[in-house]
Amino acid sequence: MKNKFTLIALLLAMTTSLYAQNKAIDPVNLDQKVDPGKNFYLYANGGWLENNPIPDDKSRFGSFDLLADSARKQVRELIKKTAGKDHKQGTVAQKIGDFYSSGMDIEARNKNGLKPLKDELKAIEKAGDNQEIMKVITDMQKNGLYPLFTLYGTADAKNSEMVRTHLFQGGLGLPNRDYYTDTDERTKEIRKKYVEHISKMFRLTGEKEADADKIAQKILGLETRLAKASMTPLELRDPHKRYNKMDLAKLRETSPEIDWKAYFETLGLGDPEVIIVGQPDFFAEISTMMKEVPASEWKNYLKWDLLNSCASYLSEDFEEQNFAFYGKTLTGKQKNQPLWKRVQGTTSGAMSEALGKLYVQEYFPKEAKERMLELVNNLKVALGERIDNADWMSDETKKKAHEKLSTMNVKIGYPDKWRDYSNLEIKKQAYVENVMSARAFNRQFNLQKINKPVDKAEWHMPPQMVNAYYSPSMNEIVFPAAILQPPFFFMDADDAVNYGAIGVVIGHEMTHGFDDKGRQYDKDGNLQDWWTKEDAEKFDTRAQVLVKQFNEFIVLDTMHADGQLSLGENIADLGGLNIALTAFNKTEQSKSNEEIAGFTPLQRFFLAYAHIWAQNIRDKEIVKRTREDVHSLGKFRVIGPLRNMPEFHAAFNITEEDYMYLPEDKRAMIW
Ligand SMILES: [Zn+2]
């Protein structure tokens, strides 16, 4: 039986690989009527864009999202095997199964309504004064909610070996502070709709319309005060601004109206000794607000925070209202995802590594890891050479850059050590209760790390996630199993395709160690300057070229891209392309000019890159991402960097007259 199964698997694997070879660059995805010199993004992706309209339940749909969907289907198969069956109490299968089933039981959810939250609501209602309000906030935070601000344990940016207590701004129902302060028509409309949404949510709890409207207005007022004291998305990218180390005495001085001693004790931290405060002004403001805002207003704010964070796990009326604002109004989605996707997403978030372990057992081939390691090593060599050849950099800084590159750690596929879920309690109970239980468990997991050495084996993304990251404090690049699939990674395609797709992704993550933010961390992951003053200035001048280029792009109507906010990502895209190309130029294939499916190796390299950023996107999502997301839109991730690359110009015969061409003195060149 087992042999037969293996044989079928092998046959399947063979067919997939043949498919990959043929379809790695599929002419169907291109639009060869478009001049590649005018708009290479459309030339490379026009067919794909035409054939892959945005589904109603999405605000953006790209080849990235298509792969994420297929990973979700894989996870669905895993869940199906466990849900609805009897498992021994306390096993991972029982927990995944019961969690998922409780979410899918929409009848029970509708019958329960708000009932499962009655204890939490009562606790808020009972608070008599602001001291008691602060106690409720503390308890909510202990259980994994984040009203008012955030506390978490993570590596100390200046002592990367140790996990320390971090306090960070938070408490907003809209995505960031700009939504409360901007005065353009679009934002004003969103604020108006936000107030209506809060009011409707309160009405669902039984509040009268007139009262609910007043409550909602007050909540917007309170959140606006928080917003005004918060840092902008751009300020948040500055690791020095966010690093304000304090002890308990200093924190009390900054924020005197809050009983921090009681707060930390309730969280089980005692005196944390080292507290890194992200935004001292924010914590000063919440202290003042604790003096000025009456308890009655805080109560409504906390109720709102509770409702807002639980809406997706309650009855359908709450979930639908929540979607009407956060899905439709903010991102332009037409309808909500089907129930199974919503519940699966939550299950996956609650028990990410438990599902991840099952995922890699089923779907991740060992050979993929070996192939990836080979690619990563080739890219490391390529970046090393590029550092040597950077004529603008002094030998002194180059030496440090080499040290940082050679100590950069690599993780591929899945963690060597899996997380232990034995203390997580999931039962046949209301969905929202299971969600709360998982939140409290994950919260505890984070809190217990504080004031201990950093666990270097830990992963910050689960294997089933289509993504990758660079961690500055660990100086490491991480590639979860799910990204090692087409269109990023083809087990059997030609090198040009793999270097152009996953190769650039690897190079992108490596470059994050040397982008405008990452370069401020040394080889050990400490926020410590290792650049000569002159080299740092030269770096900034070069980076500004890229800022200017991106600022000129128009994303929608008259709205421009934000070159400063997206700088780190744009440096990483351009660096990733250059590094992957340098590595590709060492392969056998690069030396031949043999065409596959009508394209030269270099053309295939650039087409494979362009293809990973094919995406259709709704207008509202364009606006939202441009103001919050540090990544540029897919279109500009292709057009932006490629205009700077002479190898690209040569590959597609692009000349000075073409838009995709930038003259040498206008080009950005960093890594
Ligand atoms: Zn990135």
Side-chain angles (χ1 to χ4, degrees):
M1 198 55 201
K2 194 158 182 265
N3 279 339
K4 196 175 155 200
F5 193 78
T6 322
L7 184 67
I8 294 171
L10 192 73
L11 284 170
L12 268 174
M14 281 171 67
T15 32
T16 351
S17 65
L18 286 172
Y19 180 80
Q21 180 75 302
N22 285 336
K23 303 281 176 168
I25 302 294
D26 188 342
V28 168
N29 290 332
L30 278 68
D31 183 351
Q32 298 191 51
K33 292 191 299 296
V34 175
D35 177 355
K38 282 208 171 69
N39 186 341
F40 186 71
Y41 172 76
L42 217 50
Y43 169 79
N45 295 318
W48 193 95
L49 296 172
E50 182 84 33
N51 294 325
N52 291 276
I54 311 174
D56 284 350
D57 62 356
K58 287 190 163 60
S59 54
R60 183 192 76 180
F61 193 62
S63 40
F64 213 101
D65 305 287
L66 185 64
L67 176 57
D69 265 0
S70 98
R72 259 192 290 274
K73 280 178 197 138
Q74 292 172 322
V75 173
R76 187 184 196 192
E77 292 308 312
L78 296 173
I79 289 183
K80 266 195 196 158
K81 284 185 192 161
T82 55
K85 299 202 175 83
D86 278 326
H87 299 279
K88 200 166 153 257
Q89 193 66 27
T91 57
V92 164
Q94 174 267 318
K95 289 172 192 180
I96 293 173
D98 283 353
F99 192 102
Y100 183 78
S101 302
S102 70
M104 292 302 288
D105 190 351
I106 202 74
E107 233 171 273
R109 286 171 56 182
N110 283 340
K111 210 178 105 216
N112 284 332
L114 203 54
K115 237 188 299 162
L117 293 183
K118 65 176 188 314
D119 290 347
E120 285 79 4
L121 286 166
K122 210 185 281 167
I124 295 171
E125 203 44 64
K126 258 178 39 199
D129 56 25
N130 283 358
Q131 220 175 344
E132 286 175 26
I133 288 288
M134 194 54 213
K135 277 190 193 135
V136 176
I137 290 173
T138 311
D139 286 336
M140 286 170 82
Q141 290 201 7
K142 193 181 175 190
N143 289 318
L145 297 174
Y146 296 94
L148 200 55
F149 62 92
T150 311
L151 173 140
Y152 56 90
T154 194
D156 180 341
K158 294 191 179 173
N159 176 14
S160 65
E161 297 291 315
M162 285 301 287
V163 177
R164 296 294 188 198
T165 303
H166 287 70
L167 288 177
F168 215 75
Q169 69 186 32
L172 304 180
L174 287 170
N176 68 37
R177 55 111 60 210
D178 295 347
Y179 284 79
Y180 296 85
T181 53
D182 283 359
T183 52
D184 59 284
E185 287 310 313
R186 261 195 202 108
T187 314
K188 281 202 282 197
E189 180 66 17
I190 288 176
R191 275 201 293 275
K192 194 175 135 241
K193 292 258 173 70
Y194 180 54
V195 173
E196 283 168 21
H197 167 60
I198 300 173
S199 168
K200 282 180 185 160
M201 290 287 277
F202 271 88
R203 274 182 261 166
L204 288 177
T205 72
E207 206 74 56
K208 283 197 203 77
E209 189 172 336
D211 295 336
D213 284 348
K214 274 184 221 144
I215 290 170
Q217 273 301 343
K218 288 273 186 199
I219 288 171
L220 179 74
L222 194 152
E223 289 186 4
T224 304
R225 275 188 80 169
L226 297 176
K228 284 184 174 158
S230 298
M231 281 186 184
T232 64
L234 191 58
E235 286 171 316
L236 290 174
R237 286 199 69 243
D238 183 342
H240 288 284
K241 275 198 183 140
R242 289 192 331 230
Y243 191 89
N244 305 281
K245 195 167 156 181
M246 299 182 185
D247 58 11
L248 194 52
K250 177 81 179 142
L251 177 62
R252 279 178 175 152
E253 212 177 282
T254 307
S255 190
E257 293 297 320
I258 292 172
D259 185 351
W260 290 105
K261 190 166 178 284
Y263 171 80
F264 289 125
E265 266 163 18
T266 307
L267 291 181
L269 295 173
D271 176 353
E273 285 169 24
V274 177
I275 305 151
I276 296 157
V277 181
Q279 303 78 18
D281 291 349
F282 179 86
F283 285 89
E285 176 68 1
I286 61 173
S287 172
T288 312
M289 286 169 76
M290 273 296 159
K291 203 162 49 186
E292 294 174 0
V293 178
S296 57
E297 259 185 61
W298 283 118
K299 282 186 197 179
N300 285 328
Y301 168 75
L302 293 179
K303 268 188 217 165
W304 164 236
D305 190 84
L306 180 69
L307 286 175
N308 197 19
S309 66
C310 294
S312 302
Y313 323 111
L314 296 167
S315 43
E316 278 169 304
D317 45 358
F318 283 99
E319 201 176 5
E320 277 162 17
Q321 180 52 44
N322 186 61
F323 174 77
F325 181 72
Y326 287 104
K328 275 191 186 156
T329 304
L330 273 188
T331 72
K333 286 178 193 164
Q334 303 298 299
K335 64 169 207 242
N336 208 345
Q337 289 184 317
L339 182 65
W340 73 264
K341 272 195 196 171
R342 280 148 32 210
V343 176
Q344 180 179 310
T346 310
T347 312
S348 201
M351 279 171 276
S352 54
E353 273 197 16
L355 267 168
K357 195 174 172 186
L358 300 174
Y359 181 85
V360 297
Q361 279 166 0
E362 193 81 20
Y363 300 112
F364 187 59
K366 204 171 92 247
E367 309 80 67
K369 191 163 180 167
E370 286 156 16
R371 184 84 203 273
M372 266 300 275
L373 270 173
E374 186 192 313
L375 281 167
V376 169
N377 287 332
N378 294 347
L379 263 91
K380 267 195 171 180
V381 172
L383 176 52
E385 286 174 15
R386 297 191 67 88
I387 291 170
D388 282 334
N389 294 335
D391 55 9
W392 53 275
M393 215 174 174
S394 71
D395 288 345
E396 203 182 331
T397 310
K398 277 183 187 174
K399 194 170 155 260
K400 294 272 167 55
H402 274 295
E403 280 172 16
K404 184 166 182 181
L405 177 62
S406 63
T407 49
M408 190 179 277
N409 188 37
V410 185
K411 288 176 178 166
I412 296 166
Y414 53 90
D416 294 329
K417 189 181 82 185
W418 293 98
R419 227 183 114 179
D420 178 9
Y421 284 87
S422 41
N423 288 332
L424 168 63
E425 217 188 313
I426 299 298
K427 299 189 286 205
K428 290 188 169 56
Q429 61 182 353
Y431 182 37
V432 70
E433 287 174 300
N434 278 331
V435 171
M436 302 272 258
S437 178
R439 279 179 178 165
F441 170 79
N442 286 319
R443 182 80 183 128
Q444 203 47 45
F445 177 71
N446 182 263
L447 289 176
Q448 54 82 25
K449 293 182 204 168
I450 288 176
N451 289 345
K452 289 185 192 142
V454 169
D455 178 359
K456 304 261 179 187
E458 203 186 331
W459 281 52
H460 299 289
M461 250 179 213
Q464 67 273 29
M465 185 177 273
V466 180
N467 215 329
Y469 69 91
Y470 171 76
S471 160
S473 70
M474 303 256 252
N475 189 25
E476 70 175 7
I477 48 177
V478 185
F479 306 93
I483 199 173
L484 305 182
Q485 303 182 69
F488 291 91
F489 178 79
F490 298 81
M491 202 59 207
D492 298 297
D494 52 310
D495 280 335
V497 168
N498 274 325
Y499 278 90
I502 196 74
V504 179
V505 174
I506 298 167
H508 172 106
E509 300 307 338
M510 280 181 180
T511 307
H512 274 317
F514 302 92
D515 71 16
D516 61 320
K517 185 176 137 201
R519 74 171 189 83
Q520 302 182 55
Y521 294 80
D522 67 11
K523 68 175 176 41
D524 301 314
N526 287 315
L527 189 55
Q528 187 175 277
D529 198 3
W530 48 271
W531 291 63
T532 65
K533 195 170 161 280
E534 220 179 30
D535 289 338
E537 277 167 14
K538 284 184 187 158
F539 178 95
D540 286 339
T541 311
R542 284 169 177 263
Q544 280 312 308
V545 178
L546 214 47
V547 172
K548 215 172 138 244
Q549 283 181 17
F550 276 79
N551 277 343
E552 278 166 19
F553 292 136
I554 290 180
V555 293
L556 185 72
D557 308 332
T558 55
M559 188 177 196
H560 283 253
D562 187 338
Q564 198 66 51
L565 182 64
S566 57
L567 177 60
E569 293 300 327
N570 300 331
I571 292 174
D573 279 340
L574 181 58
L577 272 159
N578 278 319
I579 298 161
L581 189 59
T582 302
F584 172 65
N585 282 336
K586 294 178 197 293
T587 63
E588 279 304 310
Q589 192 193 4
S590 74
K591 298 186 175 69
S592 85
N593 230 357
E594 199 185 322
E595 292 184 0
I596 303 178
F599 295 107
T600 66
L602 265 190
Q603 288 177 332
R604 289 172 70 77
F605 175 94
F606 289 113
L607 286 168
Y609 172 70
H611 184 55
I612 62 180
W613 296 120
Q615 61 183 222
N616 284 306
I617 182 163
R618 295 185 195 281
D619 288 355
K620 283 183 177 174
E621 185 70 11
I622 290 179
V623 175
K624 185 168 184 288
R625 285 194 182 258
T626 302
R627 67 200 308 181
E628 305 164 22
D629 193 348
V630 292
H631 302 88
S632 296
L633 301 172
K635 182 175 158 185
F636 300 107
R637 294 188 78 159
V638 176
I639 291 175
L642 291 185
R643 293 173 83 207
N644 294 286
M645 295 181 71
E647 299 89 342
F648 163 72
H649 301 148
F652 287 93
N653 298 319
I654 287 159
T655 64
E656 290 163 38
E657 286 85 59
D658 291 316
Y659 176 73
M660 290 301 303
Y661 183 93
L662 281 176
E664 220 176 320
D665 62 336
K666 292 259 173 3
R667 285 178 205 157
M669 185 52 172
I670 306 169
W671 297 115

